[in-house]
Amino acid sequence: MAFVLRRAGQAAIVLIAAFTATFFLLQLLPGDAILIKFTDPSLGLTPDQLDGIRAAYGADLPWWQQYLHTALGFLQGDFGYSSQFGTPVLTLLAESLPATLLLAALGFAVAALLAVGIAALSSLVRFAWLRNAIRQVPGLFVAVPVFWLGILLIQVFSFGLGWIPVVGADPVRGLILPVLTLAVPISAPLAQVLIRAIDQVQAQPFITVVRAKGASPAGVLTRSVARNAALPALTIAGVLFGELVGGAVVTETVFGRTGIGRLTQQAVANQDVPVLQGIVLLSALGFVLISFAVDLAAPLIDPRQRRGSAARASAAAPAKVQEAIA
């Protein structure tokens, strides 16, 4: 319970910091989203009407009042209204989130498969030159820009080979190229951490004992090495959530998909501050929840952490008993 409460307090601090930084950074942007939308001469709005619209959105208040008003609204589940569409921000997020979650989940699953495959091959291949070549693949994946990879995949598989149409593809085929575009950069750091962790575990004395008993290389990897090397990979997997959000913005823009990424691109282009604030807070909340889930899953993978917690609790028990007696 103490651990949960401590992590909840840290999560609250992260969310407050993300909201505060976003609020002040967006306040420093030049221009005014309301004026950008409503100063079109064809609308025929008078200055008094523009002032009324600004008052309705709270844009005429001092910055500190806007901050408190927005913060209280967020605490009550009210993210405000989009200055571009006039729609509640929560409605826009609810409409865009499922498509992005599907893309992110599939992208992360494919990235995990790529990372595990690269790490396994780099350990099992007998030829040194091939093993070294496989270990260079993650570095190549890191160097590939997401937008360039997406355009390259469209050029090769859509325009060149004609396997996947750019327009009019069914929902399943339409996800193939965006998922690959998102998965390749994400798989690189995950594969690098896995390879390093596997090397460290294989250098441990107990692995030598397992090999001396006649276990095959694949058996050693799957039964003795994999679980011990999974904890660092699990930790970096939680951190990579931020990469998923950033990659989704570029991927959905390149492939013209609806989702949080496309909504972010539109909000930036139109300086839609309420929508941007909602997206940042939603991303921060997702990052905090995933990090919390990783912290809870770590003891399930590494029993030493459970034993360490039990040992600390046992060591602290006598002192607590003495304090109670005193």
Side-chain angles (χ1 to χ4, degrees), residues 15 18-19 22-23 26 70 74 78-81 88-90 92-94 97 260 263-264 267 272-286:
L15 293 176
F19 168 76
T22 305
F23 178 85
L26 292 176
T70 306
F74 276 25
D78 180 10
F79 285 25
Y81 288 81
V89 174
L90 279 179
L92 294 175
L93 294 177
L97 187 59
I260 295 295
L263 183 64
T264 303
D272 199 340
V273 173
V275 173
L276 289 174
Q277 288 178 337
I279 291 173
V280 171
L281 193 64
L282 179 65
S283 302
L285 178 61

Side-chain angles (χ1 to χ4, degrees), residues 71-94:
L72 291 175
F74 276 25
L75 291 175
Q76 298 172 2
D78 180 10
F79 285 25
Y81 288 81
S82 167
S83 58
Q84 179 66 22
F85 303 105
T87 307
V89 174
L90 279 179
T91 301
L92 294 175
L93 294 177

